[in-house]
Amino acid sequence: MTRVAAVDCGTNSIRLLVADADPATGELVDLDRRMTIVRLGQGVDRTGRLAPEALRRTFAACREYAAVVKEHGAERLRFVATSASRDAENRDEFVRGVLDILGVEPEVITGDQEAEFSFTGATRELAGSDHLPRPYLVVDIGGGSTEFVVGDDRVRAARSVDVGCVRMTERHLVRDGVVSDPPSKEQIAAMRADIEAALDLAEETVPLREARTLVGLAGSVTTVSAIAQELPAYDSEAIHHSRVSLERVREITEWLLRSTHAERAAVPSMHPGRVDVIGAGALVLLSIMERIGAEEVVVSEHDILDGIGWSLA
């Protein structure tokens, strides 16, 4: 067993996994798994820079995570940063802050690396599952980007495109600094067109339609599953490996895009940090399912964070 700590810092959230990894059995045993909404990517699409308040929120979460890593005595720590910090002019400020707090330099990985970690994290435990036909299409819908990976036992093709729940919300649903509540038909149509253009890009290098099982990752997808199941609270065990039909995803997306902030916030499984961006995230998922003709999505709670953990084992 190797005790590992993995941090995944994305556009919307920062997450920590401390686990015992056993390469002999292929088991990753969680000791601590947590998530904090920090919205690191706030305004990056517009300004090209990480906002001071976003950095403060992120560094506060890093200090909390440093204490957890120390408490569990992790032997190895890896900090991976994704879309927002790739795009920002002042990412050096972010790198210095993380190094000071956690003692490791954040790796600002490429979209292809991000895709590979996501695929490993999501599919390693599916390897012996006969009821899920291959190849898999693993889709990781983040805040700033979405990763598409097709593979069997390993990655065959991958592509990252700049479409995510935060980026789409800020680009299409914000007027005068406020998120439209609910958005207009014109705003939704413009967002959908942007998503479709991104899917065209993804299809240039990834054979999306060859996939026989769609596996969906990250907060937008898990929240849609929680809503579909009408869970009284967010429940990782109920969500992990749940299946949501295309029809149900369409119903939920349409409701999210016509609901008010108060109505979305009243959903018991909704994280407060997702209330304003979940409609855009659900529309990305729906667009993907319609594009490839997927009848359902298999939802996974195991994703890039688990892939980072395995890279340390």
Side-chain angles (χ1 to χ4, degrees):
M1 287 279 198
T2 303
R3 184 156 294 182
V4 298
V7 178
D8 165 38
C9 185
T11 302
N12 195 44
S13 64
I14 182 169
R15 299 180 304 142
L16 170 70
L17 170 65
V18 182
D20 284 331
D22 186 348
T25 63
E27 208 176 1
L28 200 64
V29 180
D30 289 15
L31 300 173
D32 199 304
R33 187 186 289 258
R34 60 183 67 195
M35 183 269 290
T36 311
I37 300 282
V38 293
R39 200 66 65 83
L40 179 61
Q42 172 192 334
V44 168
D45 193 53
R46 178 176 51 83
T47 66
R49 296 180 63 82
L50 298 168
E53 59 271 30
L55 286 170
R56 282 195 294 272
R57 291 192 297 266
T58 303
F59 294 155
C62 286
R63 282 187 281 273
E64 175 194 328
Y65 291 180
V68 174
V69 171
K70 184 178 179 181
E71 177 190 340
H72 285 291
E75 299 164 51
R76 300 175 188 173
L77 169 63
R78 190 171 189 179
F79 187 114
V80 165
T82 53
S83 181
S85 46
R86 268 202 306 268
D87 300 340
E89 293 171 8
N90 60 333
R91 69 183 190 183
D92 288 349
E93 187 180 348
F94 165 71
V95 170
R96 285 194 304 272
V98 171
L99 184 57
D100 287 346
I101 297 165
L102 282 161
V104 295
E105 189 168 317
E107 300 172 54
V108 182
I109 61 173
T110 66
D112 285 345
Q113 289 173 302
E114 191 174 345
E116 203 153 330
F117 282 142
S118 295
F119 185 82
T120 301
T123 65
R124 187 162 181 138
E125 63 188 349
L126 299 177
S129 182
D130 296 331
H131 62 286
L132 291 176
R134 301 184 224 184
Y136 307 117
L137 169 59
V138 174
V139 176
D140 187 342
I141 303 172
S145 63
T146 295
E147 283 63 56
F148 298 87
V149 199
V150 165
D152 304 286
D153 296 324
R154 54 177 176 246
V155 173
R156 281 171 37 191
R159 182 75 180 261
S160 177
V161 295
D162 286 340
V163 170
C165 60
V166 174
R167 195 185 296 269
M168 290 297 94
T169 299
E170 291 189 348
R171 187 178 292 175
H172 296 290
L173 306 185
V174 175
R175 291 292 179 271
D176 300 319
V178 177
V179 178
S180 300
D181 191 25
S184 67
K185 289 181 180 178
E186 291 75 20
Q187 286 175 306
I188 295 170
M191 182 165 61
R192 181 70 184 245
D194 215 356
I195 295 167
E196 293 294 340
L199 291 177
D200 291 341
L201 273 179
E203 279 203 289
E204 288 177 4
T205 49
V206 180
L208 303 181
R209 299 170 208 244
E210 288 183 16
R212 297 185 64 202
T213 297
L214 173 64
V215 183
L217 316 182
S220 292
V221 181
T222 58
T223 301
V224 167
S225 172
I227 296 170
Q229 297 180 66
E230 299 181 0
L231 297 178
Y234 193 92
D235 181 344
S236 292
E237 286 190 17
I239 291 167
H240 189 48
H241 289 173
S242 61
R243 302 185 188 198
V244 188
S245 69
L246 171 62
E247 182 182 357
R248 194 77 177 100
V249 171
R250 186 179 290 118
E251 288 172 2
I252 291 167
T253 302
E254 289 173 354
W255 178 78
L256 289 168
L257 289 171
R258 67 171 183 267
S259 62
T260 64
H261 181 280
E263 288 170 333
R264 295 189 299 278
V267 175
S269 57
M270 181 79 68
H271 190 288
R274 297 203 186 280
V275 174
D276 285 334
V277 299
I278 184 61
L283 185 61
V284 174
L285 174 61
L286 176 63
S287 302
I288 293 166
M289 294 181 74
E290 291 181 343
R291 171 69 68 104
I292 70 172
E295 294 180 5
E296 66 176 13
V297 58
V298 177
V299 181
S300 178
E301 282 274 355
H302 293 179
D303 50 28
I304 185 173
L305 199 56
D306 302 76
I308 298 164
W310 277 117
S311 75
L312 292 167

